[in-house]
Amino acid sequence: MNFFLQLTFAGLNVGVLYMLVALGMVVTYQVSRVESLAQGAFVVYGALLFGTFHDGLGLPLPLAIVLPVLISSLMSVLLYWLMLNRFATRGSTGPVVMSLGAALILGELARQFWGLNDRTARPFLPSEPISILGATVLPHSLLSWIGGGVLLLAGYLVFEKTMLGKALRATADDIVGARLVGIDARRMRFVSFQIAALFGSLAGILLAPLMAFGWTAIFPLAVLGAIGAIGGRWEYLTAAVVSIAIGLFSSYAGGYLSTSWQQIYVYGAFILILLAQRADRRAGGGRARTLVTALSRRGGSA
């Protein structure tokens, strides 16, 4: 029982990360109809910038949190321009390929600035583990769970209870109808990229003391976030549940079977999800194919 609970705690840490990446991708897709493979860059840059500002430069904690979020916001402006310019939007895979190119460039820039090795940030909470039913959990893990839950709830309330959320949902449901009632669709798309950057950068900041991040994590994080988004049929709450489940599944598989095969198990589950959704093309199949096509193009170019 202790071992199972310990694996659950580890899986929740990973699940929160996957969830916030997936939610950023869902928001971008729902409003802008593009699948962003650069979503992992917000996480990696959020974590690395936080470590640089907090540990390297010794800035106060609030400032060390705000600055990476602002820089991620500026990055989202660049991604918005790259993915939704009139040249990239020609064809169904154009914006996805542009986001892939941006992810590769951002990964190379991260490698140049922070080097080849992954980095963690210095904990800003007590490092003494807390015992829960015989298993131990770090205070930073509790913070990441609470922070992930707060972001999930905040996003849900924004979309369901505010005028901005109604405008975002209207743009997602019917862009022509939204324009007819005076909603600026371009502005809503821009806002969706900003929300995605916020989710990603805060995920990196929350988990930087627990996990090592580096330039090689940008693309894998986007893929794992996409698995949660596709498994959740690009719906906000469903994608969150699927992403948490993926994190738990990965932890259990690594603990009870083999840690070296953890990613294989996750990707195998992804294949099963795609096969299960194939019969329902309107809900999931068509959306998954665009992303899978782009991934296969990257594999072919490698």
Side-chain angles (χ1 to χ4, degrees), residues 56-95:
L57 300 179
L59 297 182
L61 181 61
L63 191 58
I65 293 174
V66 170
L67 286 178
V69 172
L70 292 178
I71 294 173
S72 294
S73 177
L74 294 176
M75 287 169 53
S76 75
V77 175
L78 175 62
L79 288 175
Y80 170 81
W81 181 84
L82 284 174
M83 295 170 63
L84 294 181
N85 68 75
R86 62 189 181 92
F87 299 106
T89 51
R90 293 179 180 177
S92 59
T93 61

PDB file of all heavy atoms in Angstrom, residues 56-95:
ATOM      1  N   GLY A  56      20.126  31.983  -9.806  1.00  0.00           N
ATOM      2  CA  GLY A  56      21.328  32.607 -10.345  1.00  0.00           C
ATOM      3  C   GLY A  56      21.464  34.078  -9.996  1.00  0.00           C
ATOM      4  O   GLY A  56      22.532  34.540  -9.579  1.00  0.00           O
ATOM      5  N   LEU A  57      20.383  34.835 -10.162  1.00  0.00           N
ATOM      6  CA  LEU A  57      20.439  36.279  -9.918  1.00  0.00           C
ATOM      7  C   LEU A  57      19.957  36.663  -8.527  1.00  0.00           C
ATOM      8  O   LEU A  57      20.123  37.819  -8.116  1.00  0.00           O
ATOM      9  CB  LEU A  57      19.603  37.022 -10.969  1.00  0.00           C
ATOM     10  CG  LEU A  57      20.043  36.831 -12.422  1.00  0.00           C
ATOM     11  CD1 LEU A  57      19.128  37.601 -13.367  1.00  0.00           C
ATOM     12  CD2 LEU A  57      21.499  37.255 -12.612  1.00  0.00           C
ATOM     13  N   GLY A  58      19.343  35.742  -7.811  1.00  0.00           N
ATOM     14  CA  GLY A  58      18.896  36.019  -6.452  1.00  0.00           C
ATOM     15  C   GLY A  58      17.754  37.007  -6.358  1.00  0.00           C
ATOM     16  O   GLY A  58      17.623  37.713  -5.341  1.00  0.00           O
ATOM     17  N   LEU A  59      16.897  37.066  -7.383  1.00  0.00           N
ATOM     18  CA  LEU A  59      15.763  37.990  -7.342  1.00  0.00           C
ATOM     19  C   LEU A  59      14.724  37.522  -6.345  1.00  0.00           C
ATOM     20  O   LEU A  59      14.615  36.330  -6.051  1.00  0.00           O
ATOM     21  CB  LEU A  59      15.125  38.100  -8.731  1.00  0.00           C
ATOM     22  CG  LEU A  59      15.992  38.673  -9.854  1.00  0.00           C
ATOM     23  CD1 LEU A  59      15.187  38.752 -11.143  1.00  0.00           C
ATOM     24  CD2 LEU A  59      16.542  40.040  -9.476  1.00  0.00           C
ATOM     25  N   PRO A  60      13.942  38.430  -5.789  1.00  0.00           N
ATOM     26  CA  PRO A  60      12.859  38.022  -4.876  1.00  0.00           C
ATOM     27  C   PRO A  60      11.900  37.058  -5.579  1.00  0.00           C
ATOM     28  O   PRO A  60      11.706  37.128  -6.795  1.00  0.00           O
ATOM     29  CB  PRO A  60      12.169  39.349  -4.533  1.00  0.00           C
ATOM     30  CG  PRO A  60      13.192  40.394  -4.803  1.00  0.00           C
ATOM     31  CD  PRO A  60      14.023  39.893  -5.938  1.00  0.00           C
ATOM     32  N   LEU A  61      11.300  36.176  -4.804  1.00  0.00           N
ATOM     33  CA  LEU A  61      10.446  35.131  -5.369  1.00  0.00           C
ATOM     34  C   LEU A  61       9.314  35.679  -6.251  1.00  0.00           C
ATOM     35  O   LEU A  61       9.107  35.163  -7.366  1.00  0.00           O
ATOM     36  CB  LEU A  61       9.871  34.271  -4.241  1.00  0.00           C
ATOM     37  CG  LEU A  61       8.980  33.114  -4.669  1.00  0.00           C
ATOM     38  CD1 LEU A  61       9.742  32.135  -5.539  1.00  0.00           C
ATOM     39  CD2 LEU A  61       8.413  32.401  -3.426  1.00  0.00           C
ATOM     40  N   PRO A  62       8.569  36.707  -5.819  1.00  0.00           N
ATOM     41  CA  PRO A  62       7.497  37.212  -6.691  1.00  0.00           C
ATOM     42  C   PRO A  62       8.021  37.685  -8.043  1.00  0.00           C
ATOM     43  O   PRO A  62       7.402  37.414  -9.087  1.00  0.00           O
ATOM     44  CB  PRO A  62       6.893  38.364  -5.885  1.00  0.00           C
ATOM     45  CG  PRO A  62       7.213  38.044  -4.466  1.00  0.00           C
ATOM     46  CD  PRO A  62       8.564  37.404  -4.504  1.00  0.00           C
ATOM     47  N   LEU A  63       9.145  38.389  -8.041  1.00  0.00           N
ATOM     48  CA  LEU A  63       9.707  38.884  -9.291  1.00  0.00           C
ATOM     49  C   LEU A  63      10.228  37.724 -10.143  1.00  0.00           C
ATOM     50  O   LEU A  63      10.090  37.738 -11.378  1.00  0.00           O
ATOM     51  CB  LEU A  63      10.830  39.871  -8.999  1.00  0.00           C
ATOM     52  CG  LEU A  63      11.372  40.683 -10.191  1.00  0.00           C
ATOM     53  CD1 LEU A  63      10.253  41.489 -10.843  1.00  0.00           C
ATOM     54  CD2 LEU A  63      12.494  41.610  -9.729  1.00  0.00           C
ATOM     55  N   ALA A  64      10.816  36.721  -9.505  1.00  0.00           N
ATOM     56  CA  ALA A  64      11.322  35.560 -10.238  1.00  0.00           C
ATOM     57  C   ALA A  64      10.196  34.757 -10.866  1.00  0.00           C
ATOM     58  O   ALA A  64      10.419  34.009 -11.827  1.00  0.00           O
ATOM     59  CB  ALA A  64      12.128  34.667  -9.301  1.00  0.00           C
ATOM     60  N   ILE A  65       8.974  34.894 -10.349  1.00  0.00           N
ATOM     61  CA  ILE A  65       7.812  34.223 -10.938  1.00  0.00           C
ATOM     62  C   ILE A  65       7.207  35.067 -12.056  1.00  0.00           C
ATOM     63  O   ILE A  65       6.845  34.552 -13.118  1.00  0.00           O
ATOM     64  CB  ILE A  65       6.756  33.935  -9.849  1.00  0.00           C
ATOM     65  CG1 ILE A  65       7.294  32.893  -8.864  1.00  0.00           C
ATOM     66  CG2 ILE A  65       5.446  33.470 -10.464  1.00  0.00           C
ATOM     67  CD1 ILE A  65       6.376  32.655  -7.675  1.00  0.00           C
ATOM     68  N   VAL A  66       7.106  36.354 -11.827  1.00  0.00           N
ATOM     69  CA  VAL A  66       6.447  37.238 -12.797  1.00  0.00           C
ATOM     70  C   VAL A  66       7.252  37.357 -14.089  1.00  0.00           C
ATOM     71  O   VAL A  66       6.693  37.332 -15.198  1.00  0.00           O
ATOM     72  CB  VAL A  66       6.210  38.632 -12.175  1.00  0.00           C
ATOM     73  CG1 VAL A  66       5.752  39.627 -13.242  1.00  0.00           C
ATOM     74  CG2 VAL A  66       5.177  38.536 -11.062  1.00  0.00           C
ATOM     75  N   LEU A  67       8.565  37.479 -13.977  1.00  0.00           N
ATOM     76  CA  LEU A  67       9.384  37.695 -15.176  1.00  0.00           C
ATOM     77  C   LEU A  67       9.295  36.540 -16.177  1.00  0.00           C
ATOM     78  O   LEU A  67       9.123  36.780 -17.377  1.00  0.00           O
ATOM     79  CB  LEU A  67      10.840  37.949 -14.773  1.00  0.00           C
ATOM     80  CG  LEU A  67      11.124  39.319 -14.158  1.00  0.00           C
ATOM     81  CD1 LEU A  67      12.589  39.434 -13.760  1.00  0.00           C
ATOM     82  CD2 LEU A  67      10.760  40.434 -15.134  1.00  0.00           C
ATOM     83  N   PRO A  68       9.405  35.267 -15.763  1.00  0.00           N
ATOM     84  CA  PRO A  68       9.234  34.191 -16.740  1.00  0.00           C
ATOM     85  C   PRO A  68       7.856  34.184 -17.387  1.00  0.00           C
ATOM     86  O   PRO A  68       7.727  33.863 -18.581  1.00  0.00           O
ATOM     87  CB  PRO A  68       9.451  32.922 -15.911  1.00  0.00           C
ATOM     88  CG  PRO A  68      10.299  33.354 -14.769  1.00  0.00           C
ATOM     89  CD  PRO A  68       9.838  34.736 -14.458  1.00  0.00           C
ATOM     90  N   VAL A  69       6.816  34.559 -16.620  1.00  0.00           N
ATOM     91  CA  VAL A  69       5.468  34.609 -17.192  1.00  0.00           C
ATOM     92  C   VAL A  69       5.397  35.693 -18.265  1.00  0.00           C
ATOM     93  O   VAL A  69       4.810  35.489 -19.340  1.00  0.00           O
ATOM     94  CB  VAL A  69       4.430  34.864 -16.084  1.00  0.00           C
ATOM     95  CG1 VAL A  69       3.053  35.115 -16.694  1.00  0.00           C
ATOM     96  CG2 VAL A  69       4.376  33.677 -15.123  1.00  0.00           C
ATOM     97  N   LEU A  70       6.005  36.843 -18.000  1.00  0.00           N
ATOM     98  CA  LEU A  70       6.003  37.926 -18.988  1.00  0.00           C
ATOM     99  C   LEU A  70       6.787  37.546 -20.240  1.00  0.00           C
ATOM    100  O   LEU A  70       6.360  37.832 -21.366  1.00  0.00           O
ATOM    101  CB  LEU A  70       6.585  39.195 -18.359  1.00  0.00           C
ATOM    102  CG  LEU A  70       5.756  39.853 -17.254  1.00  0.00           C
ATOM    103  CD1 LEU A  70       6.485  41.072 -16.695  1.00  0.00           C
ATOM    104  CD2 LEU A  70       4.380  40.247 -17.771  1.00  0.00           C
ATOM    105  N   ILE A  71       7.925  36.904 -20.054  1.00  0.00           N
ATOM    106  CA  ILE A  71       8.722  36.485 -21.213  1.00  0.00           C
ATOM    107  C   ILE A  71       7.973  35.434 -22.019  1.00  0.00           C
ATOM    108  O   ILE A  71       7.987  35.450 -23.259  1.00  0.00           O
ATOM    109  CB  ILE A  71      10.088  35.966 -20.750  1.00  0.00           C
ATOM    110  CG1 ILE A  71      10.910  37.112 -20.144  1.00  0.00           C
ATOM    111  CG2 ILE A  71      10.861  35.325 -21.902  1.00  0.00           C
ATOM    112  CD1 ILE A  71      12.207  36.692 -19.500  1.00  0.00           C
ATOM    113  N   SER A  72       7.298  34.512 -21.348  1.00  0.00           N
ATOM    114  CA  SER A  72       6.485  33.523 -22.051  1.00  0.00           C
ATOM    115  C   SER A  72       5.354  34.196 -22.817  1.00  0.00           C
ATOM    116  O   SER A  72       4.981  33.761 -23.911  1.00  0.00           O
ATOM    117  CB  SER A  72       5.916  32.509 -21.057  1.00  0.00           C
ATOM    118  OG  SER A  72       6.941  31.739 -20.472  1.00  0.00           O
ATOM    119  N   SER A  73       4.805  35.254 -22.243  1.00  0.00           N
ATOM    120  CA  SER A  73       3.766  36.012 -22.945  1.00  0.00           C
ATOM    121  C   SER A  73       4.305  36.610 -24.241  1.00  0.00           C
ATOM    122  O   SER A  73       3.632  36.577 -25.282  1.00  0.00           O
ATOM    123  CB  SER A  73       3.226  37.114 -22.030  1.00  0.00           C
ATOM    124  OG  SER A  73       2.276  37.908 -22.699  1.00  0.00           O
ATOM    125  N   LEU A  74       5.514  37.130 -24.196  1.00  0.00           N
ATOM    126  CA  LEU A  74       6.137  37.661 -25.418  1.00  0.00           C
ATOM    127  C   LEU A  74       6.412  36.543 -26.420  1.00  0.00           C
ATOM    128  O   LEU A  74       6.245  36.736 -27.640  1.00  0.00           O
ATOM    129  CB  LEU A  74       7.439  38.384 -25.063  1.00  0.00           C
ATOM    130  CG  LEU A  74       7.300  39.653 -24.217  1.00  0.00           C
ATOM    131  CD1 LEU A  74       8.670  40.213 -23.870  1.00  0.00           C
ATOM    132  CD2 LEU A  74       6.480  40.708 -24.963  1.00  0.00           C
ATOM    133  N   MET A  75       6.814  35.382 -25.937  1.00  0.00           N
ATOM    134  CA  MET A  75       7.016  34.241 -26.823  1.00  0.00           C
ATOM    135  C   MET A  75       5.716  33.854 -27.512  1.00  0.00           C
ATOM    136  O   MET A  75       5.705  33.484 -28.695  1.00  0.00           O
ATOM    137  CB  MET A  75       7.556  33.044 -26.029  1.00  0.00           C
ATOM    138  CG  MET A  75       9.007  33.184 -25.597  1.00  0.00           C
ATOM    139  SD  MET A  75       9.482  31.901 -24.391  1.00  0.00           S
ATOM    140  CE  MET A  75       8.990  30.414 -25.272  1.00  0.00           C
ATOM    141  N   SER A  76       4.604  33.935 -26.779  1.00  0.00           N
ATOM    142  CA  SER A  76       3.318  33.573 -27.378  1.00  0.00           C
ATOM    143  C   SER A  76       2.923  34.537 -28.486  1.00  0.00           C
ATOM    144  O   SER A  76       2.248  34.145 -29.443  1.00  0.00           O
ATOM    145  CB  SER A  76       2.228  33.535 -26.305  1.00  0.00           C
ATOM    146  OG  SER A  76       1.840  34.834 -25.905  1.00  0.00           O
ATOM    147  N   VAL A  77       3.331  35.800 -28.374  1.00  0.00           N
ATOM    148  CA  VAL A  77       3.069  36.762 -29.451  1.00  0.00           C
ATOM    149  C   VAL A  77       3.783  36.332 -30.722  1.00  0.00           C
ATOM    150  O   VAL A  77       3.219  36.359 -31.829  1.00  0.00           O
ATOM    151  CB  VAL A  77       3.513  38.176 -29.029  1.00  0.00           C
ATOM    152  CG1 VAL A  77       3.356  39.156 -30.190  1.00  0.00           C
ATOM    153  CG2 VAL A  77       2.728  38.651 -27.815  1.00  0.00           C
ATOM    154  N   LEU A  78       5.034  35.899 -30.582  1.00  0.00           N
ATOM    155  CA  LEU A  78       5.794  35.422 -31.728  1.00  0.00           C
ATOM    156  C   LEU A  78       5.152  34.176 -32.331  1.00  0.00           C
ATOM    157  O   LEU A  78       5.009  34.063 -33.555  1.00  0.00           O
ATOM    158  CB  LEU A  78       7.236  35.122 -31.300  1.00  0.00           C
ATOM    159  CG  LEU A  78       8.153  34.503 -32.361  1.00  0.00           C
ATOM    160  CD1 LEU A  78       8.309  35.453 -33.550  1.00  0.00           C
ATOM    161  CD2 LEU A  78       9.508  34.153 -31.770  1.00  0.00           C
ATOM    162  N   LEU A  79       4.735  33.241 -31.484  1.00  0.00           N
ATOM    163  CA  LEU A  79       4.103  32.026 -31.981  1.00  0.00           C
ATOM    164  C   LEU A  79       2.780  32.343 -32.673  1.00  0.00           C
ATOM    165  O   LEU A  79       2.440  31.743 -33.695  1.00  0.00           O
ATOM    166  CB  LEU A  79       3.866  31.048 -30.828  1.00  0.00           C
ATOM    167  CG  LEU A  79       5.103  30.368 -30.270  1.00  0.00           C
ATOM    168  CD1 LEU A  79       4.742  29.518 -29.054  1.00  0.00           C
ATOM    169  CD2 LEU A  79       5.761  29.497 -31.331  1.00  0.00           C
ATOM    170  N   TYR A  80       2.035  33.262 -32.101  1.00  0.00           N
ATOM    171  CA  TYR A  80       0.768  33.684 -32.720  1.00  0.00           C
ATOM    172  C   TYR A  80       1.006  34.215 -34.127  1.00  0.00           C
ATOM    173  O   TYR A  80       0.296  33.858 -35.079  1.00  0.00           O
ATOM    174  CB  TYR A  80       0.110  34.751 -31.843  1.00  0.00           C
ATOM    175  CG  TYR A  80      -1.079  35.432 -32.481  1.00  0.00           C
ATOM    176  CD1 TYR A  80      -2.328  34.828 -32.468  1.00  0.00           C
ATOM    177  CD2 TYR A  80      -0.951  36.686 -33.077  1.00  0.00           C
ATOM    178  CE1 TYR A  80      -3.421  35.459 -33.049  1.00  0.00           C
ATOM    179  CE2 TYR A  80      -2.038  37.315 -33.657  1.00  0.00           C
ATOM    180  CZ  TYR A  80      -3.260  36.693 -33.639  1.00  0.00           C
ATOM    181  OH  TYR A  80      -4.348  37.317 -34.223  1.00  0.00           O
ATOM    182  N   TRP A  81       2.010  35.031 -34.276  1.00  0.00           N
ATOM    183  CA  TRP A  81       2.302  35.601 -35.591  1.00  0.00           C
ATOM    184  C   TRP A  81       2.780  34.518 -36.558  1.00  0.00           C
ATOM    185  O   TRP A  81       2.380  34.491 -37.726  1.00  0.00           O
ATOM    186  CB  TRP A  81       3.353  36.696 -35.466  1.00  0.00           C
ATOM    187  CG  TRP A  81       3.663  37.318 -36.792  1.00  0.00           C
ATOM    188  CD1 TRP A  81       2.985  38.330 -37.418  1.00  0.00           C
ATOM    189  CD2 TRP A  81       4.734  36.948 -37.680  1.00  0.00           C
ATOM    190  NE1 TRP A  81       3.559  38.615 -38.625  1.00  0.00           N
ATOM    191  CE2 TRP A  81       4.635  37.793 -38.822  1.00  0.00           C
ATOM    192  CE3 TRP A  81       5.762  36.020 -37.619  1.00  0.00           C
ATOM    193  CZ2 TRP A  81       5.538  37.704 -39.878  1.00  0.00           C
ATOM    194  CZ3 TRP A  81       6.647  35.926 -38.674  1.00  0.00           C
ATOM    195  CH2 TRP A  81       6.529  36.761 -39.794  1.00  0.00           C
ATOM    196  N   LEU A  82       3.619  33.611 -36.086  1.00  0.00           N
ATOM    197  CA  LEU A  82       4.146  32.568 -36.964  1.00  0.00           C
ATOM    198  C   LEU A  82       3.061  31.603 -37.416  1.00  0.00           C
ATOM    199  O   LEU A  82       2.982  31.233 -38.595  1.00  0.00           O
ATOM    200  CB  LEU A  82       5.247  31.779 -36.237  1.00  0.00           C
ATOM    201  CG  LEU A  82       6.608  32.458 -36.102  1.00  0.00           C
ATOM    202  CD1 LEU A  82       7.523  31.602 -35.242  1.00  0.00           C
ATOM    203  CD2 LEU A  82       7.244  32.686 -37.474  1.00  0.00           C
ATOM    204  N   MET A  83       2.201  31.190 -36.496  1.00  0.00           N
ATOM    205  CA  MET A  83       1.245  30.130 -36.795  1.00  0.00           C
ATOM    206  C   MET A  83      -0.008  30.627 -37.498  1.00  0.00           C
ATOM    207  O   MET A  83      -0.668  29.850 -38.199  1.00  0.00           O
ATOM    208  CB  MET A  83       0.864  29.410 -35.501  1.00  0.00           C
ATOM    209  CG  MET A  83       2.024  28.671 -34.857  1.00  0.00           C
ATOM    210  SD  MET A  83       1.648  28.056 -33.202  1.00  0.00           S
ATOM    211  CE  MET A  83       0.320  26.913 -33.562  1.00  0.00           C
ATOM    212  N   LEU A  84      -0.345  31.893 -37.318  1.00  0.00           N
ATOM    213  CA  LEU A  84      -1.605  32.389 -37.876  1.00  0.00           C
ATOM    214  C   LEU A  84      -1.405  33.485 -38.919  1.00  0.00           C
ATOM    215  O   LEU A  84      -2.340  34.226 -39.224  1.00  0.00           O
ATOM    216  CB  LEU A  84      -2.511  32.895 -36.758  1.00  0.00           C
ATOM    217  CG  LEU A  84      -3.000  31.821 -35.780  1.00  0.00           C
ATOM    218  CD1 LEU A  84      -3.908  32.422 -34.729  1.00  0.00           C
ATOM    219  CD2 LEU A  84      -3.721  30.709 -36.517  1.00  0.00           C
ATOM    220  N   ASN A  85      -0.196  33.609 -39.467  1.00  0.00           N
ATOM    221  CA  ASN A  85      -0.046  34.549 -40.573  1.00  0.00           C
ATOM    222  C   ASN A  85      -0.656  33.947 -41.832  1.00  0.00           C
ATOM    223  O   ASN A  85      -0.904  32.743 -41.916  1.00  0.00           O
ATOM    224  CB  ASN A  85       1.434  34.915 -40.783  1.00  0.00           C
ATOM    225  CG  ASN A  85       2.249  33.743 -41.293  1.00  0.00           C
ATOM    226  OD1 ASN A  85       2.178  33.364 -42.451  1.00  0.00           O
ATOM    227  ND2 ASN A  85       3.043  33.149 -40.392  1.00  0.00           N
ATOM    228  N   ARG A  86      -0.880  34.742 -42.835  1.00  0.00           N
ATOM    229  CA  ARG A  86      -1.649  34.295 -44.005  1.00  0.00           C
ATOM    230  C   ARG A  86      -0.916  33.253 -44.830  1.00  0.00           C
ATOM    231  O   ARG A  86      -1.534  32.546 -45.618  1.00  0.00           O
ATOM    232  CB  ARG A  86      -2.013  35.497 -44.873  1.00  0.00           C
ATOM    233  CG  ARG A  86      -0.818  36.253 -45.458  1.00  0.00           C
ATOM    234  CD  ARG A  86      -1.277  37.541 -46.115  1.00  0.00           C
ATOM    235  NE  ARG A  86      -0.181  38.276 -46.708  1.00  0.00           N
ATOM    236  CZ  ARG A  86       0.199  38.145 -47.964  1.00  0.00           C
ATOM    237  NH1 ARG A  86      -0.432  37.298 -48.768  1.00  0.00           N
ATOM    238  NH2 ARG A  86       1.203  38.862 -48.446  1.00  0.00           N
ATOM    239  N   PHE A  87       0.392  33.147 -44.647  1.00  0.00           N
ATOM    240  CA  PHE A  87       1.135  32.118 -45.372  1.00  0.00           C
ATOM    241  C   PHE A  87       1.044  30.771 -44.650  1.00  0.00           C
ATOM    242  O   PHE A  87       0.863  29.729 -45.266  1.00  0.00           O
ATOM    243  CB  PHE A  87       2.600  32.526 -45.535  1.00  0.00           C
ATOM    244  CG  PHE A  87       2.770  33.794 -46.316  1.00  0.00           C
ATOM    245  CD1 PHE A  87       3.117  34.972 -45.672  1.00  0.00           C
ATOM    246  CD2 PHE A  87       2.568  33.814 -47.686  1.00  0.00           C
ATOM    247  CE1 PHE A  87       3.265  36.148 -46.381  1.00  0.00           C
ATOM    248  CE2 PHE A  87       2.712  34.988 -48.409  1.00  0.00           C
ATOM    249  CZ  PHE A  87       3.068  36.160 -47.765  1.00  0.00           C
ATOM    250  N   ALA A  88       1.161  30.796 -43.315  1.00  0.00           N
ATOM    251  CA  ALA A  88       1.130  29.556 -42.546  1.00  0.00           C
ATOM    252  C   ALA A  88      -0.237  28.908 -42.577  1.00  0.00           C
ATOM    253  O   ALA A  88      -0.358  27.687 -42.479  1.00  0.00           O
ATOM    254  CB  ALA A  88       1.545  29.824 -41.105  1.00  0.00           C
ATOM    255  N   THR A  89      -1.303  29.720 -42.692  1.00  0.00           N
ATOM    256  CA  THR A  89      -2.652  29.174 -42.611  1.00  0.00           C
ATOM    257  C   THR A  89      -3.108  28.525 -43.903  1.00  0.00           C
ATOM    258  O   THR A  89      -4.232  28.060 -43.995  1.00  0.00           O
ATOM    259  CB  THR A  89      -3.651  30.282 -42.224  1.00  0.00           C
ATOM    260  OG1 THR A  89      -3.471  31.408 -43.103  1.00  0.00           O
ATOM    261  CG2 THR A  89      -3.430  30.732 -40.802  1.00  0.00           C
ATOM    262  N   ARG A  90      -2.285  28.500 -44.917  1.00  0.00           N
ATOM    263  CA  ARG A  90      -2.643  27.799 -46.143  1.00  0.00           C
ATOM    264  C   ARG A  90      -2.433  26.300 -45.946  1.00  0.00           C
ATOM    265  O   ARG A  90      -1.324  25.841 -45.765  1.00  0.00           O
ATOM    266  CB  ARG A  90      -1.790  28.296 -47.312  1.00  0.00           C
ATOM    267  CG  ARG A  90      -2.074  29.748 -47.692  1.00  0.00           C
ATOM    268  CD  ARG A  90      -1.178  30.190 -48.835  1.00  0.00           C
ATOM    269  NE  ARG A  90      -1.447  31.567 -49.209  1.00  0.00           N
ATOM    270  CZ  ARG A  90      -0.775  32.243 -50.148  1.00  0.00           C
ATOM    271  NH1 ARG A  90       0.209  31.639 -50.800  1.00  0.00           N
ATOM    272  NH2 ARG A  90      -1.085  33.478 -50.421  1.00  0.00           N
ATOM    273  N   GLY A  91      -3.507  25.555 -45.982  1.00  0.00           N
ATOM    274  CA  GLY A  91      -3.400  24.118 -45.763  1.00  0.00           C
ATOM    275  C   GLY A  91      -3.642  23.773 -44.308  1.00  0.00           C
ATOM    276  O   GLY A  91      -3.433  24.590 -43.409  1.00  0.00           O
ATOM    277  N   SER A  92      -4.072  22.543 -44.064  1.00  0.00           N
ATOM    278  CA  SER A  92      -4.452  22.139 -42.714  1.00  0.00           C
ATOM    279  C   SER A  92      -3.255  21.947 -41.791  1.00  0.00           C
ATOM    280  O   SER A  92      -3.376  22.089 -40.572  1.00  0.00           O
ATOM    281  CB  SER A  92      -5.264  20.840 -42.774  1.00  0.00           C
ATOM    282  OG  SER A  92      -4.507  19.813 -43.390  1.00  0.00           O
ATOM    283  N   THR A  93      -2.099  21.594 -42.361  1.00  0.00           N
ATOM    284  CA  THR A  93      -0.938  21.316 -41.509  1.00  0.00           C
ATOM    285  C   THR A  93       0.031  22.492 -41.429  1.00  0.00           C
ATOM    286  O   THR A  93       1.010  22.406 -40.686  1.00  0.00           O
ATOM    287  CB  THR A  93      -0.168  20.084 -42.021  1.00  0.00           C
ATOM    288  OG1 THR A  93       0.298  20.339 -43.346  1.00  0.00           O
ATOM    289  CG2 THR A  93      -1.063  18.853 -42.019  1.00  0.00           C
ATOM    290  N   GLY A  94      -0.229  23.568 -42.158  1.00  0.00           N
ATOM    291  CA  GLY A  94       0.697  24.706 -42.160  1.00  0.00           C
ATOM    292  C   GLY A  94       0.991  25.256 -40.780  1.00  0.00           C
ATOM    293  O   GLY A  94       2.162  25.345 -40.379  1.00  0.00           O
ATOM    294  N   PRO A  95      -0.034  25.614 -39.977  1.00  0.00           N
ATOM    295  CA  PRO A  95       0.247  26.145 -38.639  1.00  0.00           C
ATOM    296  C   PRO A  95       0.953  25.139 -37.741  1.00  0.00           C
ATOM    297  O   PRO A  95       1.784  25.523 -36.913  1.00  0.00           O
ATOM    298  CB  PRO A  95      -1.152  26.474 -38.100  1.00  0.00           C
ATOM    299  CG  PRO A  95      -1.992  26.680 -39.316  1.00  0.00           C
ATOM    300  CD  PRO A  95      -1.454  25.708 -40.324  1.00  0.00           C
TER     301      PRO A  95
END
